[in-house]
Amino acid sequence: MSKRVLLIVSTFIIAFLSVFSANAQPTSDIPADVPFSIDENVITGTLENGFSYYIRQNKKPVDRAQFWLVVNAGSVLEEPGQNGLAHFTEHMCFNGTKNFEKKAIIHYLQSIGMKFGPEINAFTSHDVTNYMLQNVPVDKKENIDTSLMILYDWAHLVAFDPDEIDAERGVIHEEWRSGFQASRRIQNKLFKVLFEGSKYANHDVIGSMDVVDNFKHERLIQFYNDWYRPDLQAIVAVGDFDVQEIEQKIIKMFSSIALKEDAPGRETIDIPAHDETKAAVITDKEEKYMLARLYYKHPAVKDKSTTGYYRDNLQRQLYNTMFGARLAELTKNPDAPFIFAMSSYNKLVRSTDAYQTIAVAKTDVGEAIKALLVENMRVKQHGFTASELDRAKKELLARYETTYKERDKTESSAYCWEYYAHFLENEPIPGIAAEYEMAQQFVPAITLEEINALAKKWITDKNRVVVASGPESAKEMLPTEEQLLAIVEDAEDEVVEPYMDVVLDKPLISETVTPGTIVKEKRDKKYGYTTWELDNGATVVLKSTDFKEDEIIFKAFSKGGTSIYDNDDLITAMFTSDVIEQSGIGEFDIIQLEKMLSDKILRIYPFINEYNEGFNGRTRPEDLGTFMELIYLYFKNPRIDPDAFATFMSRQVTMLQNKANDPNAVFSDSLTNIMYQYNFRKRPMSVDILKEADFQKMMPIYNERFSGVDDFTFVFVGNIDANTLKPYVLKYIGSLPSGVANENWVDRNVNLVDGVVKKKIYLEMENPMATVLISMHGNFGYSWEERVMLSAINDILDVRYTETVREEESGTYGVGTYTMQSAYPIGNYRLITYFNAAPENAERLAQIIYREINDLKTNGPKQKEIDNVVSNKLKEHAENLEKNRYWLSALQFNIEHNQDVIDSKKYQKILNKLSPKMIQKAVNKYYSGDNVVEIILLPKE
């Protein structure tokens, strides 16, 4: 029987739900010691064997559901000799269970349109293993039953076939090989310092390859039997289904799992405290960046049962926002010792939180650490200002308001993550209505004194860790551990000046704006969008949707781009829009602009690509007026700042100066040179090439690209109607000047290499690994039918390579396959396959890539393969039709290429025409072997 928890909303929330509207004022104060109630929209229960469940009906997306199995066990529970077996267990769940032999789980889910990776996946961490079936089609009930059966088998009926175990050793070894790059090696060394004295320091999730390659089968099965048990497991089911029906299925199925006797206790692993400051200097030959890190460790909050915990969490968010803004402001100073910095108070591991500040240093990590310490001391000594807190409160409340408005449009996955956290760590799940009310009540009442007290609480001389990391080649530029400790000690004694919050209090636009007019209006009845042609030549397209309550997304585009410019000005043109964006707008520099817009939910930025220029952006209905003002100003009153240019250039130099250390970066640059025949316009970026950017030419280039709107199309998609948008369009787009009509891009003869090119690149590597990339390319008509055909072939090969190179050969963690298609300067395609492997296996595995292509050429695909592709693409298309982002890109495509790619009936007709013979013919055409580039990266002997 179920010990079902029937959830009762507390008195204050019931009163709130009965009267609340998005614009209502709070009716009463909420005490900080009220016990949390669980959202009434979720059904939760615990079976007699300890198994938990969370079930919620949600129709976003429609006819889809998420089914998760959360296991409260991860690598930190491994015993000696088991390091890596928590992660190995996760892999084995996809290699056979009692009711699904070998790969039957994956095969079944693929047959109903799901993809391995994006929708069929799992992960292991130190403390948890999570299995996810995402976007399961639930219009057929058998899919629900089978999904629950899969989770049931994962929970206690994994087969652990000996042959499958031994085959999976190679897959995991290759996963380790692919992932054990500079950042992972540095992270492992960092963990040994941060978590010293605990199992977290030594239990890397992917594990020891000595253990992975050699463990006895019984050790793996022992881990599964010890920790995969009902009292440590939960199902999270959210989707478009009947919740009572799902609950009864779960009760009937999962109650049968026996609670294990004499099972080991699931303890929380503590991190030992330390009075002294720990310092570490970590280097790696292949590291590209120099990082400064500060950690102040604190015990994790255990009591999360009352609204006081939520109020404390709001305080942490306000602090993080304000200090993050200060660090962001510093990075805009060309003289700052770092190009990026962030700070937060959040979780390190289950038992331990940390206040941490991290920065990417330019050259001197010691100076970067000193700067981080000084900024922390500035807050500790002087606190924040009232104006900073006021902005942070407005920003925080704006985010909560948007989330509240989207409460009926929330994706199922968002709920899954909430219930995941509740099961594992008892994170409150009162629901967004209650959260929004608490935010409205608590945030205005939080005082500056409360926030400033946090700095004194968080920034202590105990449990502190300071770390400098960087390339081995720059070791002489890194401080020693003794110097790090000296920097910390000196910073503590330093008296710093208080922060001055300078705010520009004036409107974005001060001049009078004369609106334009609409000369032609057209309504597309098929897809429900409106087109306005303005008297200045601009075209505006509006698609009103109800997919999101508080979302409007936007794109403007025009032909031209960097192709307009000769080689001498190419680099300048490439970076112009970035510098303009970082300069601010009108009378506001970037810092003033960000302060002014801090309580707005909007983002807009210009771009200049190879063949076009324009803007990308997003906002909400409430901030649409400000958003439109920014569009106007980016055309009429752009700003370029020499400090922004200097800051941008120093950031690029920092990112590029150690690129040669990274074998992957060198490989990528070599590939570009070979593919484009060392074309001047496709040179891989370097510090020397960066110097070609000319600040004096940037504003003229920007003004030329955005001189007028008569060749621009502006597309708006989201929760907005024509009557709301029209006056803004007439005022802020209709008032803009015309420019050069019918401008086009220029063909600069940037062509892919002809013929067959095979090349090996040898580089020194810390972790010997081969990378194989095979590219086949050519020209084609760029019709919808051809693009679908290429995509279908890609998907068939993707599955085949997983089954052969990964599963049969245990040769790689995964084979990537993707297509690149372009209409400019002529229709062309690239079909790319790549994978990592042991160096000795590279060429043998590469032959399997060709073998599968040749098999499709000779024999064509099986009908089942085509059926799976069709199921997935129809499923994906149905999901896309409910997304604003899809409609924006589809409308842009229709306008630029005069091709309708939205028509569901036509799309289904194209897919249903696919046959083995048709695919076979297409493979012979597109994979003819006439133009092939094969590059293999290998370790130097």
Side-chain angles (χ1 to χ4, degrees), residues 357-374:
T357 313
I358 302 172
V360 179
K362 290 179 180 175
T363 53
D364 192 328
V365 180
E367 283 299 311
I369 288 174
K370 180 180 178 181
L372 297 181
L373 287 162
V374 165

Side-chain angles (χ1 to χ4, degrees), residues 289-549:
Y289 305 119
M290 308 228 270
L291 270 69
R293 295 178 172 95
L294 285 173
Y295 299 91
Y296 301 87
K297 294 180 286 185
H298 299 276
V301 177
K302 293 183 179 179
D303 183 8
K304 303 176 182 179
S305 61
T306 70
T307 52
Y309 167 74
Y310 196 78
R311 190 179 192 279
D312 292 343
N313 184 53
L314 292 169
Q315 291 183 25
R316 287 193 293 271
Q317 291 184 66
L318 290 169
Y319 185 107
N320 290 342
T321 296
M322 289 186 286
F323 195 64
R326 285 193 181 184
L327 292 176
E329 185 174 327
L330 278 175
T331 63
K332 295 174 176 61
N333 184 340
D335 297 327
F338 43 73
I339 64 167
F340 170 81
M342 60 163 289
S343 181
S344 65
Y345 187 99
N346 53 24
K347 185 172 298 301
L348 275 183
V349 292
R350 185 168 295 180
S351 63
T352 305
D353 294 338
Y355 172 58
Q356 52 189 302
T357 313
I358 302 172
V360 179
K362 290 179 180 175
T363 53
D364 192 328
V365 180
E367 283 299 311
I369 288 174
K370 180 180 178 181
L372 297 181
L373 287 162
V374 165
E375 290 310 310
N376 276 297
M377 294 309 298
R378 197 184 310 279
V379 174
K380 188 173 182 179
Q381 291 176 19
H382 303 290
F384 295 102
T385 67
S387 55
E388 287 178 289
L389 181 57
D390 182 60
R391 282 198 305 274
K393 285 181 176 182
K394 290 178 180 177
E395 181 180 342
L396 183 59
L397 288 173
R399 292 202 302 267
Y400 272 96
E401 182 178 11
T402 289
T403 306
Y404 175 74
K405 287 180 178 178
E406 297 288 6
R407 64 194 181 281
D408 296 327
K409 313 286 186 179
T410 302
E411 297 278 349
S412 292
S413 58
Y415 291 119
C416 290
W417 285 116
E418 288 185 24
Y419 307 148
Y420 164 96
H422 183 269
F423 170 67
L424 294 171
E425 300 186 53
N426 201 33
E427 285 290 338
I429 49 171
I432 186 55
E435 288 188 47
Y436 184 35
E437 187 196 19
M438 284 187 284
Q440 283 193 312
Q441 294 284 0
F442 288 148
V443 170
I446 292 172
T447 66
L448 192 60
E449 290 72 24
E450 288 179 286
I451 300 296
N452 290 340
L454 292 178
K456 295 179 173 61
K457 178 181 178 181
W458 293 349
I459 304 169
T460 68
D461 57 0
K462 295 182 179 180
N463 300 312
R464 179 170 56 193
V465 179
V466 55
V467 180
S469 64
E472 182 73 29
S473 59
K475 190 172 185 179
E476 297 300 320
M477 301 172 66
L478 294 170
T480 64
E481 292 181 6
E482 293 75 16
Q483 289 171 329
L484 282 177
L485 293 173
I487 291 170
V488 172
E489 187 174 344
D490 290 344
E492 285 189 321
D493 298 331
E494 187 166 341
V495 178
V496 296
E497 294 295 320
Y499 172 79
M500 299 297 292
D501 188 23
V502 181
V503 180
L504 185 61
D505 185 16
K506 60 192 313 181
L508 275 173
I509 299 174
S510 54
E511 74 260 26
T512 301
V513 178
T514 303
T517 60
I518 295 173
V519 297
K520 185 177 180 181
E521 180 171 341
K522 182 180 178 181
R523 174 75 174 172
D524 186 288
K525 295 181 180 179
K526 185 176 182 180
Y527 299 124
Y529 65 85
T530 298
T531 302
W532 294 318
E533 293 181 12
L534 307 186
D535 60 343
N536 59 2
T539 301
V540 178
V541 178
L542 164 65
K543 167 67 178 176
S544 181
T545 72
D546 59 0
F547 309 142
K548 289 285 187 179
E549 194 68 29

